[in-house]
Amino acid sequence: MKQLPASTNGFASARKCAALAIALFSASALSANAAPPTEARVTVTTDGSAKKISPDLFGIFFEDINYAADGGLYAELVQNRSFEYTPGDRKEWNNLTSWELVEREGGKATLSVETAKPLHDNNPHYALVHATEPIGRVGLANPGFDGIVLKAGDSYDFSVFARQIEGVGGPLEVRLEDPQAGILAEATLPKPGSAWAKFAVTLKAAGDASKARLVLTTMGAGKLGLDMVSLFPKNTYKNRPNGLRRDLAQVIADLKPKFVRFPGGCLAHGDGLDNMYRWKDTVGPVETRKAQRNIWRYHQTTGLGYYEYFQFCEDIGAKPLPVVPAGVCCQNAGNYIPGAPKGQQHIPMAEMAAYIQEVLDLIEWANGPATSKWGAVRAAAGHPQPFHLEYLGVGNEDQITAGFEERFAMIHKAIKAKHPEITVIGTVGPFASGEDFERGWKLARQLRVAMVDEHYYMPPDWFLANQHRYDTYDRMGPKVYLGEYASKGNTLFNALAEAAYMTSLERNGDVVHLASYAPLLAKTSHTQWNPDLIYFDNTTVMLTANYHVQRLFGENPGDVWLPNSIEMQRPVEPDRTAGVFLGTWESQAEFDNVRLESGTARLLDETFTRDSGNWRGESGDWKVANGVYKQSANLSPALAKAAAKIPIKAGNARYTLSLRAKKTGGAEGFLIGFGSTYADNYYWWNLGGWGNRSHGVEKRRNRSMAPVGGQVPGRIESGRWYDIRIAVEGPRIRCYLDGKLIHDVTDDPASAERLAVSSVFDTPSGDIILKVVNAYPSEVTTRIELKGPRSTVQPSASCTVVGGDPAATNSFADPYRVSPKTTDLTVGSSFIYPAPPNSLSVMRLKPRR
C-alpha cells in the first residue's frame, strides 16, 4: 500500500453513487486508536499483467457438528430412529432415548431393546413392544428433535420396519399428534408378518404444529419388533427421498459454492480407529448403513451419507471434495471414553493395503462406469452416471508424526499411480504455523502433493494484519486449500475482517486454489462450536453477517486477477505507555534479574533480594523468596505485572526486556509479557507452549489471542535457568533464548490494511468486479481509476453493500440487522466512490459493447 501526501488535490466531494447505502450506516468506532484516513486512490490495471486465478476459489465445508446433519440439514424428523443411541454417544443416552411407551384403551405392555435376529448386522438393535393384554392399543411415541414441526396441508412420508415375533398382533396405526391441536394426521398399515418388512404411508397434516410427536401403535397380545421408524417431509430439497431440509439446503445453495468439503473435519479421522468415518458404511439402503457415535459428543445415523453428499453437490452445482482419514485417528482421541486409548493411533501396517483399496474404491464408486463393482453400487442407488470427482482430501489437521507420514505417503502413492487425474489434498496440522505446519509442508514438498489444507481460527485483527500471508508463497510448489478459517465472532467487524482477507485470497488465487469458512451450520441449544456461518432451529434459519460476506464473494467470482494499487494517508498511532509482566501456563517457575531498558533509561532492574513492591500478582501464587520471584500455582495463566511503564511516542516503541527464568514443574513453560497498554491489550512470548512443543509470540486484542509470526519448535526443561531477552524497535520484535535469536517478527497495528480492494475479471460475463472493504469507522472517499484495454465500461453498475455498526450481529429476534443492500452506481474509467464506514461494497462493471 502506497502512502499519499498529507494534502491530496483533485478529490471531489460529489456523491455520484451509493447515497442510499451511506444513509443506512453509522460511524461507530473500531478498535484502532489511530485517526482513519479520509481519501484514497485505487488504480486497477486491466492489461496483460493480469493473471489467471482458481475458478473454484470459494466453497463450503460441511461437518456434522452442532447438529448440522441429524436434526439439521438431514430432514429426518424422528430422533434415534433405529434405537442405536448409547452412552458412548452421550453418557445420559441409551437405546430408548427419545422414545416412550404408549398404552391406550386399556392396553398394557412392556418396552425393551433386543438384538436377536436384527434387521441388519449394521443395525443390530430394535425395539420390542410386548403387549400383555389382548385389548387396547400399545406402542411407541417419539417427539423428534426438540419437537416435530408440521405445516398444514404438507405431506410427510412415514415408514417402519416391523415383524410380529410372537402372538397374533394386529394392524399398525400411525398418528401425528399435537398437545394442543390433537390428532393432525393418522393412517392404518397392514398387520406385520413374522419376517422383517417395510411398511410405508404418506400422511397429510391437518394443521400447524411445532411440538408434535409421532405415535405408532398396534393391538392384540404378543411381541412386536420395530426398527427404522422414519418420518420425512415430502417437500425436501429438490424433492429427493431421504433428502435434505429445504430451507437450510437453499441458503447453502445461495452461497454459490464452487465445491463442498465433507464429512469433516475431526469427524473424518474420528475419536479412535474404530470411530473413523468409513465411506462404505454410509452408502446403500439406509437400514444397512452403520451408525456410530459422533466425535462431537452425540450420534450420527449416516442417513446423510456419501451418496447424499455427492447428490447435494450435483444439485447445487458444486464439486465434491470428500476427506478420508490418512490411516490415523485424531491426536486428541480418547478424551471422553473411559479406558479408551489416548492420542493418535495408526492403522496397523498389515491392514494398510486393505485400507488403501478402500480409498481407491471410493474413486471408482464416484467416477467408475455403472458396470464396475463400485460404480454398480452407485448406479443401484439411482445415479448411473459418474459424479466426476476431482478433489480428494487425505487427512484432517493431523499431528504430523512418523506414523502419519508413512501412511500418508502410501495412500498418496497409490492414488497417483492408479488415478493421476485426482488432485490429492494433504494436511499441515490445525494451526497457521508451528511444528505440524512445518513438518506437513516439508512432507508435501517431498512427495510433490498437489495441494495442502491449511486451517486457522484467529481474531479479526489477525486477518486484517495478515493480508500478505500468501504473497510470498512458492508458486511452483503445492497449492493451498484454506479449508477452515474464521475470525472468532459474528459481528460485522468480524465479517469485514474476513472480507478483507478474502480479497487477499483472490489476489493470490494462483496459489490459493480453494477456501471455505468453518463451521457452516449450528442448531441453537445444540452448539459445540462458535462462531458459525448459519444458525437455525426447527422453524427458522438465521444468517450471520459472515454469511452475507461469503455469499457476496460466492456470487461475484472472477477467473482473472486484475492488479490494483491503493494510495492513502497512513494513520498515525497516538502516544501511550506500556508495561511488562511475568507468567506461567500450567507450570511453576522462578524469575530473576529482570531488567527493562528504553534508550539510556533503565526503567526496571529487579534482582529480588527483597520485595521491592514493584510487582503485583494478578493470578497464581507469587512471592519473593531466596533471591527469586516464585510462582507456585498450576494455573493457565498465572501472571504478575511490573509497576514500570514504557513511554511510546506515536507508536514508536523502543525498549529491551531481559531476565532469567527457571521452570520448577508443570506441563508447559513461561509467558513473558510486554507492550501491555491495558488489561486486554498486550503481547507475550509463549515459551514451551502448545503442550511444551513450541515457542511463539502472541498478541492479545479485543478479548482474542492471535499469533505474531509463526511458532518455532522448542521446549522448556525443568530445573535449568534460561536467559531471555526481548528487543522491541517500533513494529519489530526480536526474541532471544540463551543468546540465540528465536523470533524476528514485525507487527504494526497502524499498518493493518483496513481499506482492502479486490479487482477481478469474470470471463463468462465480461464484467470487472470490484470488492472494496472499508473497515475504518468513517467514510473514505475513493477515486477508482481503470487503466488498460478493459477500462471502457457502461456508465451504470450495480453496487451491493453490507455495512453498519461494527459491533452489530444478527439474531433470531433481529435477523436483518446486518444485510446487504443493492443500488445503482454511476461509473466510468475514472469515478469517485464514497466507501461507507464499516462496509463491504461489491461493484459489477459491465463492458461497453
Side-chain angles (χ1 to χ4, degrees), residues 588-764:
Q588 302 80 48
E590 298 176 355
F591 300 90
D592 195 9
N593 294 345
V594 182
R595 182 172 294 174
L596 178 63
E597 298 172 301
S598 179
T600 59
R602 182 166 294 179
L603 306 176
L604 184 67
D605 192 355
E606 188 72 75
T607 57
F608 300 108
T609 55
R610 58 182 178 82
D611 188 346
S612 64
N614 287 331
W615 297 86
R616 183 180 74 251
E618 299 285 321
S619 56
D621 183 9
W622 294 88
K623 64 180 179 180
V624 175
N626 301 321
V628 297
Y629 196 28
K630 301 178 66 173
Q631 198 294 112
S632 304
N634 192 43
L635 295 182
S636 51
L639 303 177
K641 294 185 178 181
K645 294 293 182 182
I646 309 157
I648 300 175
K649 294 290 187 180
N652 188 24
R654 293 184 181 275
Y655 58 90
T656 300
L657 172 64
S658 61
L659 65 142
R660 299 175 71 231
K662 180 173 70 174
K663 174 179 170 180
T664 58
E668 297 205 358
F670 317 122
L671 301 172
I672 311 301
F674 57 100
S676 175
T677 55
Y678 51 88
D680 197 44
N681 190 326
Y682 56 82
Y683 298 86
W684 69 27
W685 188 12
N686 188 345
L687 288 149
W690 301 275
N692 203 13
R693 298 177 64 209
S694 300
H695 310 314
V697 179
E698 298 179 283
K699 175 176 66 174
R700 177 81 174 182
R701 295 289 187 274
N702 305 315
R703 299 181 299 279
S704 294
M705 188 70 77
V708 180
Q711 297 174 22
V712 174
R715 56 182 291 107
I716 296 298
E717 301 173 1
S718 295
R720 57 157 292 194
W721 284 99
Y722 290 89
D723 290 319
I724 298 168
R725 181 162 63 93
I726 300 171
V728 177
E729 297 180 28
R732 186 180 184 186
I733 302 168
R734 285 175 292 176
C735 300
Y736 299 84
L737 186 64
D738 290 335
K740 180 182 178 182
L741 179 64
I742 305 298
H743 304 281
D744 189 348
V745 297
T746 299
D747 184 62
D748 186 0
S751 69
E753 296 177 14
R754 294 174 183 269
L755 184 71
V757 177
S758 171
S759 44
V760 296
F761 180 74
D762 177 43
T763 300

Side-chain angles (χ1 to χ4, degrees), residues 27 46 52 71 119 190 222 275 307 316 334 350 430 473 592 610 643 645 690:
T46 68
K52 291 184 178 181
L119 176 61
N275 192 238
Y307 181 83
I316 65 175
Y473 269 47
D592 195 9
R610 58 182 178 82
K645 294 293 182 182
W690 301 275

Side-chain angles (χ1 to χ4, degrees), residues 190-262:
K191 172 183 172 181
S194 59
W196 285 109
K198 185 177 182 179
F199 300 85
V201 67
T202 297
L203 304 169
K204 190 171 185 178
D208 293 335
S210 61
K211 294 289 184 180
R213 68 174 189 164
L214 171 74
V215 180
L216 178 64
T217 60
T218 187
M219 59 187 302
K223 296 180 179 180
L224 176 67
L226 299 170
D227 204 354
M228 291 298 295
V229 186
S230 175
L231 184 71
F232 268 86
K234 187 172 282 292
N235 187 25
T236 59
Y237 187 68
K238 302 288 186 182
N239 298 313
R240 297 202 177 278
N242 194 51
L244 307 181
R245 178 173 154 177
R246 180 178 286 266
D247 57 348
L248 273 178
Q250 186 59 59
V251 296
I252 294 172
D254 290 344
L255 289 165
K256 299 290 191 293
K258 296 296 187 180
F259 64 88
V260 180
R261 175 183 181 235
F262 60 87

Side-chain angles (χ1 to χ4, degrees), residues 775-789:
Y776 287 109
S778 58
E779 178 184 297
V780 178
T781 302
T782 307
R783 179 179 292 280
I784 298 175
E785 297 180 348
L786 306 179
K787 304 290 187 182

Side-chain angles (χ1 to χ4, degrees), residues 21-77:
I22 293 169
L24 298 174
F25 302 147
S26 68
S28 302
L30 294 178
S31 60
N33 295 318
T38 59
E39 298 176 341
R41 180 185 292 119
V42 175
T43 302
V44 179
T45 304
T46 68
D47 59 18
S49 59
K51 64 180 178 182
K52 291 184 178 181
I53 60 175
S54 170
D56 298 334
L57 183 54
F58 296 117
I60 61 171
F61 163 46
F62 180 93
E63 180 173 16
D64 187 6
I65 184 176
N66 308 318
Y67 276 51
D70 295 299
L73 182 63
Y74 185 50
E76 174 66 75
L77 297 173

Side-chain angles (χ1 to χ4, degrees), residues 318-572:
K319 296 180 180 181
L321 198 169
V323 178
V324 297
V328 302
C329 71
C330 179
Q331 56 266 32
N332 300 311
N335 290 336
Y336 301 102
I337 307 298
K342 308 296 184 190
Q344 187 185 84
Q345 301 142 50
H346 312 119
I347 292 178
M349 292 304 294
E351 301 173 16
M352 277 300 297
Y355 179 71
I356 290 170
Q357 187 59 52
E358 179 181 321
V359 175
L360 297 175
D361 289 345
L362 168 60
I363 300 172
E364 181 181 293
W365 177 86
N367 291 352
T371 54
S372 65
K373 177 181 177 181
W374 287 101
V377 174
R378 181 197 68 240
H383 202 286
Q385 297 303 313
F387 278 120
H388 306 294
L389 177 67
E390 295 179 25
Y391 299 118
L392 181 61
V394 179
N396 169 71
E397 58 183 45
D398 298 286
Q399 183 177 355
I400 312 300
T401 61
F404 168 88
E405 291 174 339
E406 183 178 17
R407 286 158 179 81
F408 177 89
M410 294 170 67
I411 298 168
H412 179 262
K413 180 180 179 180
I415 296 173
K416 298 314 294 178
K418 189 165 186 178
H419 293 286
E421 76 281 5
I422 296 295
T423 298
V424 176
I425 303 175
T427 180
V428 292
F431 303 115
S433 61
E435 182 179 358
D436 293 325
F437 184 86
E438 297 297 333
R439 288 188 64 173
W441 265 104
K442 181 180 179 181
L443 178 66
R445 293 186 183 102
Q446 288 175 344
L447 298 179
R448 297 186 179 180
V449 179
M451 195 180 304
V452 299
D453 183 10
E454 294 189 356
H455 294 180
Y456 39 83
Y457 298 88
M458 299 292 189
D461 285 342
W462 184 93
F463 286 94
L464 291 172
N466 283 272
Q467 293 175 55
H468 295 283
R469 174 182 175 90
Y470 295 110
D471 290 0
T472 56
Y473 269 47
D474 180 7
R475 266 51 187 172
M476 303 304 293
K479 304 305 181 185
V480 175
Y481 169 30
L482 178 50
E484 298 181 30
Y485 73 96
S487 67
K488 296 186 176 180
N490 289 124
T491 69
L492 175 60
F493 182 37
N494 290 99
L496 294 179
E498 291 158 3
Y501 198 72
M502 292 169 76
T503 67
S504 78
L505 300 181
E506 286 192 315
R507 184 177 69 248
N508 287 285
D510 58 328
V511 67
V512 181
H513 276 203
L514 310 170
S516 51
Y517 182 101
L520 180 67
L521 295 176
K523 188 170 189 177
T524 56
S525 302
H526 298 283
T527 301
Q528 295 85 45
W529 184 287
N530 283 295
D532 304 283
L533 200 65
I534 301 165
Y535 290 85
F536 66 94
D537 58 22
N538 281 351
T539 60
T540 308
V541 177
M542 194 276 290
L543 307 176
T544 63
N546 319 69
Y547 172 91
H548 292 302
V549 164
Q550 294 289 329
R551 180 170 177 176
L552 284 173
F553 274 79
E555 289 178 330
N556 297 280
D559 55 354
V560 176
W561 167 257
L562 303 177
N564 67 59
S565 61
I566 305 173
E567 300 173 73
M568 60 187 292
Q569 183 67 36
R570 178 180 170 134
V572 178

